[in-house]
Amino acid sequence: MISKYIFGEPIETGAVVMELTQSEADFSVMQLEVQENAIQLSCHMAENDIVYGLGEQVRGMNKRGFAYISNATDDPAHTENKHSLYGAHNFMILHRCEKDSDGQKSFGIFVDDPGTVIFDVGQTDLDKLVITAGKNCVIYVIEGNNLKDMVKQFRELIGQSYVAPKWAFGYQQSRWSYETAEEVRSVVEGHHGKGIPLDAVYLDIDYMESYKDFTVDEEKFPNFEEFTAEMKEQGVHLVPIIDAGVKIEKDYPTYEEGVRENYFCKDEDGEDFVAAVWPGKVHFPDVLNSRAREWFGGKYRWLIEQGIDGFWNDMNEPAIFYSEKNLKKVFDEIMLKKDENMDLHAFFQMKNLVVGLSNNPVDYQSFYHDMDGKKIRHDQVHNLYGFNMTRAASEAFDKIEPDKRILLFSRSSYVGMHRYGGIWTGDNNAWWGQLLLSIQQMPGLNMCGFLYTGSDIGGFGSDTTEDLVMRWLEFGIFTPLMRNHAAIGTRYQEAYQFENTDAFRNIIRMRYGLLPYIYSEYMKAVLNNEMYFRPIAFDYPDDSQAFRVEDQLMVGESIMIAPVYVQNAKGRYVYLPEDMMMVRMKSLEEKSCEVLHKGHHYIDIALDEVVIFVKKNHMLPLAVLDQNVKTIADVDENRIEWIGFAEESAEYMLYSDDGMSRNYTPQENWKKVVLTKEELAKTKK
Ligand code: GLC
């Protein structure tokens, strides 16, 4: 059951697709305090209660013990002290453990407020949940039978998730930047030459001419259309980045059109707001305005016509290096101190002035959107910017390529954007702890509908190491978006750069072997409004031990994974919530299976091994691959080896389609496979 509560005069965010009327009942799951400028909700959390959700955030799957602030922020250090990352995903479930919650019921809550929302989940007061939202918002309360049921109801409320083209379920390689066509060719050759499959190479900001959106640097990428076709012939899709800021430059058509037609965000005086990002001074397209959104989205056409079929939208919090006005103010203040003998306070004050130039809250309060006739100050709708930039592209794709799926994902997002594209988790670092963070982020993201997601494999910032990339790939083979990406100035981390090429090839090939499963489970999650990644307690709600597990995941209906994320670890403890079949793989071809009993186990997992746990009476389909599989298109989904164990028999629904068209529902896309326990025993190697 979903109850809707409206406070003040909320802005239509586009998060929700279901029409509901205001609830007649009083707001009762939490104490409600309507303050002058805010709504505050609070309740007690019993010792064993757990909070799940909040999407892209730092820390564990159980969010208790910290305060999380929804305020989309470009912050490349995802450390434990941070309260905000790039997304604003205001949905959480307070799971009450019946034993000590005094009969209080579990509930889900979604705060539909595009401004700053604070979820203090026991940071200030260990046992208290306090949610603070703006005075104009809509709050949805979801009650249900269990965790899965509450998520499903929420997902029905917010609408069906985006489906990427099938090739985007292949392995993808990125770097800031592959600077020239020649370099891109060498990356493709690096993979294919060593038998490592590859479906996409990313073009980061340097493919553009002076960082101008919808341009290609002709010197570095001559005959771009031909180059795109040449790559396609090798089965490789090029995925260019699109940034939010439009460079201010005379005669640059995107800029000129935007100014002429009033498509940019305005400052207090009604002038186009000036911020600075990669190209220097930019204007921000007012993607909250339907005319500007249509215009900006239409701009992607130029690249699509040159054969591009995938995009990543970036810097769309929107990130601001500095604003013209604030920069001037800071320079003036610093000049006053030029000859000063600065003590501790004076020095840090000056330093903070410079550091505070970027993503400054004052700047976000100083520009405006024209929301189809309504002038709204940016900070009140801040968290909707990335959402609407992505919506702009997606709505344009509907017109440009109505029957074709185009890969689209974004850095910033708000609930609702999951219908238009995926997200990646932004600028992580090549640290072991960030691998754990990416594992822990997945269920929260899935709860909010972000199914096409993954982290920068190997770590974006800092120099990585061979073992970290390998362990990260061993997790990454399960994330729908499987992309290796690294920052400028860091060590090159393409799979072929390392000595143990065989191990890298074997692990990446496993992804292609897993494709029938990953794709089927992805589509089930989309079509049934379910989670592809789940904390194990979601599947074993009667098992109190399962609620304590923070580093294992259920993936789809058949398997559980327990990735290794600790440096030098030779294995790890794994909790099995029931008897499961452990599949140990050195490669798709070299594997062994063993049924292990419910309980705690220490499992050896060598650096080059992947271990998967298959649930009882379930099956895992693995595609049998030829040695020369290069791309997703080479995977023969009819040559399948089935792994699993059953008391009597097991059943599995396989999904397959052409990977391109947008019609996901035909009955013939599904194939039911039933195997008896004897048949299953035979297929096992
Ligand atoms: C941002 C993105 C990163 C990209 C870089 C340069 O930091 O998050 O992925 O490589 O910008 O475009």
Side-chain angles (χ1 to χ4, degrees), residues 157-447:
L157 179 72
I158 61 174
Q160 186 172 301
S161 298
Y162 162 79
V163 180
K166 200 190 277 180
W167 61 262
F169 288 79
Y171 182 53
Q172 313 188 41
Q173 183 62 50
S174 183
R175 181 172 176 86
W176 171 16
S177 296
Y178 298 126
E179 297 249 2
T180 59
E182 241 357 274
E183 200 180 353
V184 172
R185 285 189 185 100
S186 76
V187 172
V188 174
E189 173 50 30
H191 287 86
H192 287 172
K194 294 203 165 144
I196 303 170
L198 180 71
D199 273 86
V201 176
Y202 281 67
L203 300 180
D204 208 322
I205 47 175
D206 296 287
Y207 80 89
M208 293 182 255
E209 209 186 282
S210 316
Y211 312 119
K212 285 183 286 188
D213 280 338
F214 316 115
T215 67
V216 172
D217 187 320
E218 280 286 323
E219 267 175 35
K220 298 175 181 170
F221 292 89
N223 307 320
F224 190 63
E225 190 174 348
E226 276 170 36
F227 180 55
T228 310
E230 174 194 324
M231 288 294 109
K232 278 261 174 74
E233 253 161 56
Q234 307 206 40
V236 173
H237 299 254
L238 295 177
V239 185
I241 197 168
I242 305 290
D243 282 290
V246 169
K247 185 173 166 82
I248 299 179
E249 187 184 274
K250 205 170 165 324
D251 296 333
Y252 163 39
T254 309
Y255 161 75
E256 296 277 359
E257 284 163 31
V259 171
R260 195 176 58 235
E261 302 292 332
N262 276 319
Y263 289 145
F264 294 126
C265 295
K266 304 282 184 197
D267 65 16
E268 293 97 326
D269 308 321
E271 301 293 326
D272 291 334
F273 174 70
V274 182
V277 205
W278 309 118
K281 291 183 188 166
V282 298
H283 292 319
F284 291 127
D286 186 358
V287 285
L288 274 67
N289 174 282
S290 58
R291 276 176 58 243
R293 195 162 57 236
E294 194 181 344
W295 164 72
F296 193 74
K299 290 272 146 197
Y300 288 69
R301 179 188 283 273
W302 182 73
L303 285 159
I304 292 175
E305 283 172 353
Q306 296 183 71
I308 293 298
D309 51 10
F311 298 89
W312 49 314
N313 283 347
D314 192 25
M315 304 297 271
N316 51 8
E317 292 69 30
I320 297 181
F321 290 174
Y322 61 85
S323 70
E324 194 173 46
K325 282 191 186 147
N326 197 25
L327 184 71
K328 188 172 175 317
K329 217 171 87 202
V330 168
F331 268 124
D332 290 349
E333 277 186 53
I334 289 179
M335 286 314 279
L336 292 177
K337 293 176 192 278
K338 163 162 101 25
D339 300 317
E340 204 178 293
N341 173 4
M342 285 188 279
D343 66 1
L344 169 82
H345 303 290
F347 172 72
F348 279 101
Q349 197 194 12
M350 180 203 70
K351 194 175 158 198
N352 290 341
L353 275 176
V354 177
V355 173
L357 275 171
S358 296
N359 307 323
N360 191 310
V362 174
D363 286 333
Y364 292 117
Q365 290 158 15
S366 70
F367 65 98
Y368 295 82
H369 298 275
D370 170 4
M371 282 184 84
D372 296 344
K374 238 199 213 167
K375 183 176 167 188
I376 310 259
R377 204 172 76 179
H378 175 78
D379 58 324
Q380 291 168 22
V381 286
H382 174 68
N383 294 330
L384 289 181
Y385 194 86
F387 171 175
N388 281 283
M389 179 186 174
T390 304
R391 179 175 165 197
S394 171
E395 287 176 344
F397 299 164
D398 291 347
K399 292 189 197 131
I400 303 167
E401 291 281 10
D403 298 323
K404 190 173 148 189
R405 290 178 231 170
I406 292 190
L407 171 63
L408 178 63
F409 62 91
S410 168
R411 191 170 73 178
S412 188
S413 60
Y414 184 79
V415 167
M417 203 210 81
H418 69 286
R419 302 192 300 273
Y420 300 97
I423 53 173
W424 93 103
T425 57
D427 300 348
N428 58 11
N429 267 278
W431 308 331
W432 289 89
Q434 301 271 285
L435 168 54
L436 172 61
L437 175 65
S438 75
I439 297 166
Q440 292 177 319
Q441 282 176 327
M442 291 301 135
L445 289 170
N446 277 201
M447 282 171 73

Side-chain angles (χ1 to χ4, degrees), residues 535-537 539-554 560-563 572-580 596-603 613:
I536 65 170
D539 287 32
Y540 301 92
D542 301 325
D543 179 346
S544 61
Q545 291 286 315
F547 283 96
R548 299 181 184 190
V549 178
E550 279 277 318
D551 58 358
Q552 301 175 196
L553 289 170
M554 306 307 303
M560 179 181 85
I561 59 169
R572 54 162 291 170
Y573 284 96
V574 179
Y575 176 65
L576 300 191
E578 63 172 324
D579 294 357
M580 288 184 173
L596 298 179
H597 291 300
K598 173 180 159 90
H600 295 275
H601 298 261
Y602 185 87
I603 312 276
F613 300 89

Side-chain angles (χ1 to χ4, degrees), residues 39-275:
I39 300 285
Q40 196 162 83
L41 308 168
S42 59
C43 70
H44 174 77
M45 295 183 289
E47 195 181 333
N48 292 313
D49 291 353
I50 295 188
V51 171
Y52 290 110
L54 300 180
E56 183 183 65
Q57 264 297 355
V58 294
R59 302 201 176 206
M61 295 185 205
N62 180 354
K63 304 314 278 189
R64 282 188 70 164
F66 198 57
Y68 308 87
I69 303 180
S70 291
N71 177 35
T73 305
D74 171 23
D75 186 337
H78 307 170
T79 44
E80 276 187 25
N81 56 331
K82 299 299 165 58
H83 298 276
S84 307
L85 296 177
Y86 314 89
H89 306 144
N90 300 337
F91 173 59
M92 51 146 277
I93 293 179
L94 174 55
H95 174 80
R96 307 272 200 190
C97 172
E98 277 162 32
K99 283 187 201 77
D100 60 357
S101 342
D102 292 337
Q104 300 277 344
K105 283 222 185 91
S106 301
F107 64 89
I109 185 161
F110 172 51
V111 181
D112 193 7
D113 175 354
T116 300
V117 179
I118 305 169
F119 293 85
D120 185 339
V121 195
Q123 179 175 40
T124 307
D125 183 343
L126 202 58
D127 298 330
K128 207 166 169 192
L129 168 66
V130 183
I131 302 175
T132 311
K135 63 178 178 184
N136 300 309
C137 65
V138 184
I139 293 181
Y140 296 87
V141 174
I142 301 175
E143 287 162 287
N145 300 329
N146 52 47
L147 287 157
K148 281 184 174 176
D149 176 39
M150 283 186 269
V151 170
K152 198 178 166 79
Q153 290 188 55
F154 175 59
R155 294 273 300 284
E156 281 164 1
L157 179 72
I158 61 174
Q160 186 172 301
S161 298
Y162 162 79
V163 180
K166 200 190 277 180
W167 61 262
F169 288 79
Y171 182 53
Q172 313 188 41
Q173 183 62 50
S174 183
R175 181 172 176 86
W176 171 16
S177 296
Y178 298 126
E179 297 249 2
T180 59
E182 241 357 274
E183 200 180 353
V184 172
R185 285 189 185 100
S186 76
V187 172
V188 174
E189 173 50 30
H191 287 86
H192 287 172
K194 294 203 165 144
I196 303 170
L198 180 71
D199 273 86
V201 176
Y202 281 67
L203 300 180
D204 208 322
I205 47 175
D206 296 287
Y207 80 89
M208 293 182 255
E209 209 186 282
S210 316
Y211 312 119
K212 285 183 286 188
D213 280 338
F214 316 115
T215 67
V216 172
D217 187 320
E218 280 286 323
E219 267 175 35
K220 298 175 181 170
F221 292 89
N223 307 320
F224 190 63
E225 190 174 348
E226 276 170 36
F227 180 55
T228 310
E230 174 194 324
M231 288 294 109
K232 278 261 174 74
E233 253 161 56
Q234 307 206 40
V236 173
H237 299 254
L238 295 177
V239 185
I241 197 168
I242 305 290
D243 282 290
V246 169
K247 185 173 166 82
I248 299 179
E249 187 184 274
K250 205 170 165 324
D251 296 333
Y252 163 39
T254 309
Y255 161 75
E256 296 277 359
E257 284 163 31
V259 171
R260 195 176 58 235
E261 302 292 332
N262 276 319
Y263 289 145
F264 294 126
C265 295
K266 304 282 184 197
D267 65 16
E268 293 97 326
D269 308 321
E271 301 293 326
D272 291 334
F273 174 70
V274 182

